[in-house]
CSV table of all heavy atoms in Angstrom, one decimal:
chain,number,residue,atom,x,y,z
D,1,ALA,N,-2.4,-5.8,37.4
D,1,ALA,CA,-1.1,-5.2,37.5
D,1,ALA,C,-0.8,-4.4,36.2
D,1,ALA,O,-0.3,-3.3,36.3
D,1,ALA,CB,0.0,-6.2,37.8
D,2,THR,N,-1.1,-4.9,35.1
D,2,THR,CA,-0.7,-4.3,33.9
D,2,THR,C,-1.9,-3.6,33.2
D,2,THR,O,-1.7,-2.9,32.1
D,2,THR,CB,0.0,-5.4,32.9
D,2,THR,OG1,-1.0,-6.3,32.5
D,2,THR,CG2,1.1,-6.0,33.4
D,3,LYS,N,-3.0,-3.8,33.7
D,3,LYS,CA,-4.3,-3.2,33.1
D,3,LYS,C,-4.5,-3.7,31.7
D,3,LYS,O,-4.9,-3.0,30.8
D,3,LYS,CB,-4.2,-1.8,33.3
D,3,LYS,CG,-4.0,-1.1,34.6
D,3,LYS,CD,-5.1,-1.3,35.5
D,3,LYS,CE,-4.8,-0.7,36.8
D,3,LYS,NZ,-5.3,-1.3,38.0
D,4,GLU,N,-4.2,-4.9,31.5
D,4,GLU,CA,-4.4,-5.5,30.1
D,4,GLU,C,-5.4,-6.6,30.1
D,4,GLU,O,-5.5,-7.5,31.1
D,4,GLU,CB,-3.0,-6.1,29.6
D,4,GLU,CG,-2.0,-5.1,29.3
D,4,GLU,CD,-0.7,-5.7,29.0
D,4,GLU,OE1,-0.2,-6.6,29.8
D,4,GLU,OE2,-0.1,-5.4,28.0
D,5,PHE,N,-6.2,-6.7,29.1
D,5,PHE,CA,-7.1,-8.0,28.9
D,5,PHE,C,-6.3,-8.9,28.3
D,5,PHE,O,-5.4,-8.8,27.4
D,5,PHE,CB,-8.2,-7.5,27.9
D,5,PHE,CG,-9.1,-6.6,28.5
D,5,PHE,CD1,-9.1,-5.2,28.1
D,5,PHE,CD2,-10.1,-6.9,29.4
D,5,PHE,CE1,-10.0,-4.3,28.7
D,5,PHE,CE2,-10.9,-6.1,29.9
D,5,PHE,CZ,-10.9,-4.7,29.6
D,6,ILE,N,-6.6,-10.3,28.6
D,6,ILE,CA,-5.8,-11.5,28.1
D,6,ILE,C,-6.6,-12.3,27.2
D,6,ILE,O,-7.8,-12.7,27.6
D,6,ILE,CB,-5.3,-12.3,29.3
D,6,ILE,CG1,-4.6,-11.4,30.3
D,6,ILE,CG2,-4.5,-13.5,28.9
D,6,ILE,CD1,-4.3,-12.0,31.7
D,7,PHE,N,-6.2,-12.5,26.0
D,7,PHE,CA,-6.7,-13.3,25.0
D,7,PHE,C,-6.0,-14.6,24.9
D,7,PHE,O,-4.7,-14.6,24.8
D,7,PHE,CB,-6.8,-12.7,23.6
D,7,PHE,CG,-7.8,-11.6,23.5
D,7,PHE,CD1,-7.5,-10.3,23.9
D,7,PHE,CD2,-9.0,-11.8,22.8
D,7,PHE,CE1,-8.4,-9.2,23.6
D,7,PHE,CE2,-9.9,-10.7,22.6
D,7,PHE,CZ,-9.6,-9.5,23.0
D,8,PHE,N,-6.7,-15.8,24.7
D,8,PHE,CA,-6.0,-17.0,24.5
D,8,PHE,C,-6.8,-17.6,23.3
D,8,PHE,O,-8.0,-17.3,23.0
D,8,PHE,CB,-6.4,-18.1,25.7
D,8,PHE,CG,-5.5,-18.0,26.8
D,8,PHE,CD1,-5.8,-18.8,28.0
D,8,PHE,CD2,-4.5,-17.1,27.1
D,8,PHE,CE1,-5.2,-18.7,29.2
D,8,PHE,CE2,-3.8,-16.9,28.2
D,8,PHE,CZ,-4.1,-17.9,29.3
D,9,ASP,N,-6.0,-18.5,22.5
D,9,ASP,CA,-6.7,-19.3,21.5
D,9,ASP,C,-7.7,-20.2,22.2
D,9,ASP,O,-7.2,-21.1,23.0
D,9,ASP,CB,-5.7,-20.0,20.7
D,9,ASP,CG,-4.9,-19.2,19.7
D,9,ASP,OD1,-5.5,-18.4,18.9
D,9,ASP,OD2,-3.6,-19.2,19.7
D,10,CYS,N,-8.9,-20.3,21.9
D,10,CYS,CA,-9.9,-21.0,22.5
D,10,CYS,C,-10.6,-22.1,21.5
D,10,CYS,O,-11.6,-22.6,21.8
D,10,CYS,CB,-11.0,-20.2,23.2
D,10,CYS,SG,-10.3,-19.3,24.5
D,11,SER,N,-10.0,-22.4,20.5
D,11,SER,CA,-10.5,-23.3,19.5
D,11,SER,C,-10.4,-24.7,20.2
D,11,SER,O,-9.6,-25.1,21.0
D,11,SER,CB,-9.6,-23.4,18.2
D,11,SER,OG,-8.2,-23.6,18.5
D,12,PRO,N,-11.4,-25.5,19.9
D,12,PRO,CA,-11.5,-26.9,20.6
D,12,PRO,C,-10.2,-27.7,20.5
D,12,PRO,O,-9.8,-28.3,21.4
D,12,PRO,CB,-12.7,-27.6,20.0
D,12,PRO,CG,-13.5,-26.5,19.4
D,12,PRO,CD,-12.6,-25.4,19.1
D,13,GLU,N,-9.6,-27.7,19.2
D,13,GLU,CA,-8.3,-28.4,19.0
D,13,GLU,C,-7.3,-27.3,18.6
D,13,GLU,O,-7.6,-26.3,18.4
D,13,GLU,CB,-8.6,-29.3,17.9
D,13,GLU,CG,-9.7,-30.5,18.2
D,13,GLU,CD,-9.4,-31.3,19.4
D,13,GLU,OE1,-8.3,-31.5,19.8
D,13,GLU,OE2,-10.4,-31.9,20.0
D,14,SER,N,-6.1,-27.9,18.7
D,14,SER,CA,-5.0,-27.0,18.4
D,14,SER,C,-5.2,-26.2,17.0
D,14,SER,O,-5.6,-27.0,16.1
D,14,SER,CB,-3.7,-27.8,18.4
D,14,SER,OG,-2.5,-26.9,18.3
D,15,PRO,N,-5.0,-24.9,16.9
D,15,PRO,CA,-5.4,-24.3,15.7
D,15,PRO,C,-4.8,-25.0,14.5
D,15,PRO,O,-3.6,-25.2,14.3
D,15,PRO,CB,-4.7,-22.9,15.8
D,15,PRO,CG,-4.8,-22.7,17.3
D,15,PRO,CD,-4.5,-24.1,17.9
D,16,ASN,N,-5.8,-25.2,13.5
D,16,ASN,CA,-5.4,-26.0,12.2
D,16,ASN,C,-4.4,-25.3,11.5
D,16,ASN,O,-3.5,-26.0,10.8
D,16,ASN,CB,-6.7,-26.3,11.5
D,16,ASN,CG,-6.5,-27.4,10.4
D,16,ASN,OD1,-5.8,-28.3,10.7
D,16,ASN,ND2,-7.2,-27.1,9.3
D,17,GLY,N,-4.4,-24.0,11.3
D,17,GLY,CA,-3.4,-23.3,10.5
D,17,GLY,C,-2.0,-23.1,11.2
D,17,GLY,O,-1.2,-22.5,10.6
D,18,ARG,N,-1.8,-23.9,12.3
D,18,ARG,CA,-0.5,-23.7,13.0
D,18,ARG,C,0.0,-25.1,13.4
D,18,ARG,O,0.7,-25.2,14.3
D,18,ARG,CB,-0.7,-22.9,14.3
D,18,ARG,CG,-1.1,-21.4,14.0
D,18,ARG,CD,-1.1,-20.7,15.3
D,18,ARG,NE,-2.4,-19.9,15.4
D,18,ARG,CZ,-2.9,-19.5,16.4
D,18,ARG,NH1,-2.3,-19.9,17.7
D,18,ARG,NH2,-4.0,-18.9,16.5
D,19,ARG,N,-0.4,-26.1,12.6
D,19,ARG,CA,0.0,-27.4,13.0
D,19,ARG,C,1.2,-27.9,12.1
D,19,ARG,O,1.4,-27.3,11.1
D,19,ARG,CB,-1.1,-28.4,12.9
D,19,ARG,CG,-2.2,-28.3,13.9
D,19,ARG,CD,-3.2,-29.3,13.8
D,19,ARG,NE,-4.5,-28.9,14.4
D,19,ARG,CZ,-5.7,-29.5,14.2
D,19,ARG,NH1,-5.8,-30.5,13.4
D,19,ARG,NH2,-6.8,-29.1,14.8
D,20,ASN,N,1.7,-29.1,12.4
D,20,ASN,CA,2.8,-29.7,11.7
D,20,ASN,C,4.1,-28.8,11.6
D,20,ASN,O,4.7,-28.6,10.6
D,20,ASN,CB,2.3,-29.9,10.3
D,20,ASN,CG,2.8,-31.2,9.6
D,20,ASN,OD1,3.4,-32.0,10.3
D,20,ASN,ND2,2.7,-31.3,8.2
D,21,ILE,N,4.4,-28.3,12.8
D,21,ILE,CA,5.6,-27.4,12.9
D,21,ILE,C,6.4,-27.9,14.2
D,21,ILE,O,5.9,-28.4,15.1
D,21,ILE,CB,5.1,-25.9,13.1
D,21,ILE,CG1,4.2,-25.9,14.3
D,21,ILE,CG2,4.4,-25.4,11.9
D,21,ILE,CD1,3.7,-24.5,14.8
D,22,CYS,N,7.6,-27.7,14.1
D,22,CYS,CA,8.5,-28.0,15.2
D,22,CYS,C,8.5,-26.8,16.2
D,22,CYS,O,7.7,-25.8,16.1
D,22,CYS,CB,10.0,-28.3,14.7
D,22,CYS,SG,10.8,-26.9,13.8
D,23,TYR,N,9.4,-26.9,17.2
D,23,TYR,CA,9.2,-25.9,18.3
D,23,TYR,C,9.8,-24.5,18.0
D,23,TYR,O,9.1,-23.5,18.1
D,23,TYR,CB,9.9,-26.4,19.6
D,23,TYR,CG,9.8,-25.5,20.8
D,23,TYR,CD1,8.5,-25.3,21.4
D,23,TYR,CD2,10.8,-24.7,21.2
D,23,TYR,CE1,8.4,-24.3,22.4
D,23,TYR,CE2,10.7,-23.8,22.2
D,23,TYR,CZ,9.4,-23.6,22.9
D,23,TYR,OH,9.3,-22.8,23.8
D,24,ASP,N,11.1,-24.5,17.7
D,24,ASP,CA,11.6,-23.2,17.3
D,24,ASP,C,12.5,-23.2,16.1
D,24,ASP,O,12.8,-24.3,15.5
D,24,ASP,CB,12.4,-22.6,18.6
D,24,ASP,CG,13.4,-23.5,19.1
D,24,ASP,OD1,13.9,-24.4,18.3
D,24,ASP,OD2,14.0,-23.2,20.1
D,25,ARG,N,13.3,-22.1,15.9
D,25,ARG,CA,14.1,-21.9,14.7
D,25,ARG,C,15.4,-22.9,14.8
D,25,ARG,O,15.7,-23.5,13.9
D,25,ARG,CB,14.6,-20.5,14.6
D,25,ARG,CG,15.7,-20.2,13.5
D,25,ARG,CD,15.3,-20.6,12.1
D,25,ARG,NE,14.1,-20.0,11.7
D,25,ARG,CZ,13.5,-20.3,10.5
D,25,ARG,NH1,14.0,-21.0,9.6
D,25,ARG,NH2,12.4,-19.7,10.1
D,26,ASP,N,15.9,-23.0,16.0
D,26,ASP,CA,17.1,-23.9,16.3
D,26,ASP,C,16.7,-25.2,15.9
D,26,ASP,O,17.4,-26.1,15.2
D,26,ASP,CB,17.7,-23.8,17.7
D,26,ASP,CG,18.4,-22.5,17.9
D,26,ASP,OD1,18.8,-21.9,16.9
D,26,ASP,OD2,18.6,-22.3,19.0
D,27,ALA,N,15.5,-25.8,16.3
D,27,ALA,CA,15.0,-27.1,16.1
D,27,ALA,C,14.8,-27.2,14.5
D,27,ALA,O,15.2,-28.2,13.9
D,27,ALA,CB,13.6,-27.3,16.7
D,28,LEU,N,14.2,-26.3,13.8
D,28,LEU,CA,14.0,-26.3,12.4
D,28,LEU,C,15.3,-26.4,11.7
D,28,LEU,O,15.5,-27.2,10.8
D,28,LEU,CB,13.2,-25.0,11.9
D,28,LEU,CG,12.9,-25.0,10.5
D,28,LEU,CD1,11.8,-26.1,10.1
D,28,LEU,CD2,12.2,-23.6,10.2
D,29,ASP,N,16.2,-25.5,12.0
D,29,ASP,CA,17.6,-25.6,11.3
D,29,ASP,C,18.3,-26.9,11.6
D,29,ASP,O,19.2,-27.3,10.8
D,29,ASP,CB,18.4,-24.3,11.8
D,29,ASP,CG,17.9,-23.0,11.3
D,29,ASP,OD1,17.0,-23.0,10.4
D,29,ASP,OD2,18.3,-22.0,11.9
D,30,SER,N,18.1,-27.5,12.7
D,30,SER,CA,18.8,-28.8,13.0
D,30,SER,C,18.4,-29.9,12.1
D,30,SER,O,19.0,-30.9,12.0
D,30,SER,CB,18.7,-29.1,14.6
D,30,SER,OG,17.5,-29.6,14.8
D,31,ARG,N,17.1,-29.9,11.6
D,31,ARG,CA,16.7,-31.0,10.8
D,31,ARG,C,17.4,-31.0,9.5
D,31,ARG,O,17.4,-30.1,8.7
D,31,ARG,CB,15.1,-30.8,10.5
D,31,ARG,CG,14.3,-31.0,11.9
D,31,ARG,CD,12.9,-31.3,11.4
D,31,ARG,NE,12.7,-32.5,10.8
D,31,ARG,CZ,12.3,-33.7,11.3
D,31,ARG,NH1,12.2,-33.7,12.7
D,31,ARG,NH2,12.1,-34.7,10.6
D,32,LYS,N,17.9,-32.2,9.1
D,32,LYS,CA,18.6,-32.3,7.8
D,32,LYS,C,17.8,-32.6,6.6
D,32,LYS,O,18.0,-32.1,5.5
D,32,LYS,CB,19.7,-33.5,7.9
D,32,LYS,CG,20.8,-33.3,9.0
D,32,LYS,CD,21.6,-32.0,8.8
D,32,LYS,CE,22.6,-32.0,9.9
D,32,LYS,NZ,22.7,-30.6,10.4
D,33,GLU,N,16.6,-33.2,6.9
D,33,GLU,CA,15.7,-33.5,5.9
D,33,GLU,C,14.3,-33.6,6.4
D,33,GLU,O,14.1,-33.7,7.7
D,33,GLU,CB,16.0,-34.8,5.2
D,33,GLU,CG,16.1,-36.0,6.1
D,33,GLU,CD,16.7,-37.3,5.4
D,33,GLU,OE1,17.3,-37.2,4.4
D,33,GLU,OE2,16.2,-38.4,5.8
D,34,HIS,N,13.3,-33.5,5.6
D,34,HIS,CA,11.9,-33.6,5.9
D,34,HIS,C,11.6,-32.5,6.9
D,34,HIS,O,11.0,-32.7,8.0
D,34,HIS,CB,11.5,-34.9,6.6
D,34,HIS,CG,11.7,-36.1,5.7
D,34,HIS,ND1,11.3,-36.3,4.5
D,34,HIS,CD2,12.7,-37.1,5.9
D,34,HIS,CE1,11.8,-37.4,4.0
D,34,HIS,NE2,12.6,-37.9,4.8
D,35,LYS,N,12.0,-31.2,6.6
D,35,LYS,CA,11.7,-30.1,7.5
D,35,LYS,C,10.3,-29.6,7.4
D,35,LYS,O,9.8,-29.6,6.2
D,35,LYS,CB,12.7,-28.8,7.1
D,35,LYS,CG,14.2,-29.1,7.3
D,35,LYS,CD,15.0,-27.8,7.0
D,35,LYS,CE,16.4,-28.0,7.4
D,35,LYS,NZ,17.0,-26.9,7.8
D,36,PRO,N,9.8,-29.2,8.5
D,36,PRO,CA,8.4,-28.7,8.5
D,36,PRO,C,8.6,-27.3,7.9
D,36,PRO,O,9.7,-26.7,7.8
D,36,PRO,CB,8.0,-28.6,10.0
D,36,PRO,CG,9.3,-28.6,10.7
D,36,PRO,CD,10.3,-29.3,10.0
D,37,GLU,N,7.5,-26.6,7.5
D,37,GLU,CA,7.6,-25.4,6.8
D,37,GLU,C,8.0,-24.2,7.9
D,37,GLU,O,8.4,-23.2,7.5
D,37,GLU,CB,6.2,-25.0,6.3
D,37,GLU,CG,5.9,-25.8,5.0
D,37,GLU,CD,4.7,-25.3,4.3
D,37,GLU,OE1,4.3,-24.1,4.3
D,37,GLU,OE2,4.1,-26.3,3.6
D,38,ASN,N,7.7,-24.4,9.2
D,38,ASN,CA,7.9,-23.3,10.1
D,38,ASN,C,8.0,-23.9,11.5
D,38,ASN,O,8.0,-25.1,11.7
D,38,ASN,CB,6.6,-22.3,10.0
D,38,ASN,CG,7.0,-21.0,10.3
D,38,ASN,OD1,8.0,-20.7,11.0
D,38,ASN,ND2,6.2,-20.0,9.8
D,39,SER,N,8.2,-23.0,12.4
D,39,SER,CA,8.2,-23.3,13.9
D,39,SER,C,7.3,-22.6,14.7
D,39,SER,O,6.9,-21.5,14.2
D,39,SER,CB,9.6,-23.1,14.4
D,39,SER,OG,9.9,-21.8,14.6
D,40,ALA,N,6.9,-23.1,15.9
D,40,ALA,CA,5.9,-22.5,16.6
D,40,ALA,C,6.3,-21.0,17.1
D,40,ALA,O,5.6,-20.1,17.1
D,40,ALA,CB,5.5,-23.3,17.9
D,41,ILE,N,7.6,-21.0,17.5
D,41,ILE,CA,8.1,-19.7,18.1
D,41,ILE,C,8.2,-18.6,16.9
D,41,ILE,O,7.8,-17.5,17.2
D,41,ILE,CB,9.5,-19.9,18.7
D,41,ILE,CG1,9.5,-20.7,20.0
D,41,ILE,CG2,10.1,-18.5,19.0
D,41,ILE,CD1,8.6,-20.2,21.1
D,42,ASP,N,8.6,-19.1,15.8
D,42,ASP,CA,8.7,-18.1,14.7
D,42,ASP,C,7.3,-17.6,14.3
D,42,ASP,O,7.1,-16.4,14.0
D,42,ASP,CB,9.4,-18.8,13.4
D,42,ASP,CG,10.9,-18.9,13.6
D,42,ASP,OD1,11.5,-18.3,14.5
D,42,ASP,OD2,11.6,-19.5,12.7
D,43,MET,N,6.3,-18.5,14.2
D,43,MET,CA,5.0,-18.2,13.7
D,43,MET,C,4.4,-17.3,14.8
D,43,MET,O,3.8,-16.2,14.4
D,43,MET,CB,4.1,-19.4,13.7
D,43,MET,CG,4.3,-20.2,12.4
D,43,MET,SD,3.2,-21.6,12.3
D,43,MET,CE,1.7,-20.6,11.6
D,44,ALA,N,4.5,-17.5,16.1
D,44,ALA,CA,4.0,-16.7,17.1
D,44,ALA,C,4.7,-15.3,17.0
D,44,ALA,O,4.0,-14.2,17.1
D,44,ALA,CB,4.2,-17.3,18.5
D,45,THR,N,5.9,-15.2,16.9
D,45,THR,CA,6.7,-13.9,16.8
D,45,THR,C,6.1,-13.1,15.6
D,45,THR,O,5.7,-11.9,15.7
D,45,THR,CB,8.2,-14.1,16.7
D,45,THR,OG1,8.6,-14.8,17.7
D,45,THR,CG2,8.9,-12.7,16.5
D,46,THR,N,5.9,-13.7,14.4
D,46,THR,CA,5.4,-13.0,13.3
D,46,THR,C,4.0,-12.6,13.5
D,46,THR,O,3.6,-11.4,13.1
D,46,THR,CB,5.4,-14.0,12.1
D,46,THR,OG1,6.8,-14.5,11.8
D,46,THR,CG2,4.8,-13.5,10.7
D,47,MET,N,3.2,-13.3,14.3
D,47,MET,CA,1.8,-13.0,14.6
D,47,MET,C,1.8,-11.9,15.7
D,47,MET,O,0.7,-11.3,15.9
D,47,MET,CB,1.0,-14.2,15.0
D,47,MET,CG,0.9,-15.2,13.8
D,47,MET,SD,0.2,-16.8,14.4
D,47,MET,CE,-1.3,-16.4,15.0
């Protein structure tokens, strides 16, 4: 329909450089302490 090729991450395990993160910015901001460095949605958007 869109004439686009589709790429997925196909690493055997969840990509190592994108682990130890919460789901999104609201989730990150809601943590009072022990915050992860980033969120999945923010990283994906940046990428």
Side-chain angles (χ1 to χ4, degrees):
T2 63
K3 307 292 186 215
E4 293 174 307
F5 293 101
I6 303 166
F7 285 82
F8 285 175
D9 285 308
C10 292
S11 55
E13 302 299 335
S14 193
N16 195 37
R18 299 185 227 152
R19 295 184 196 167
N20 215 12
I21 55 175
C22 61
Y23 182 74
D24 62 12
R25 174 59 51 181
D26 287 344
L28 184 64
D29 291 344
S30 76
R31 292 194 67 95
K32 302 295 181 225
E33 53 187 32
H34 308 295
K35 289 185 179 211
E37 288 186 30
N38 212 334
S39 76
I41 297 292
D42 285 351
M43 285 185 80
T45 300
T46 299
M47 295 168 68

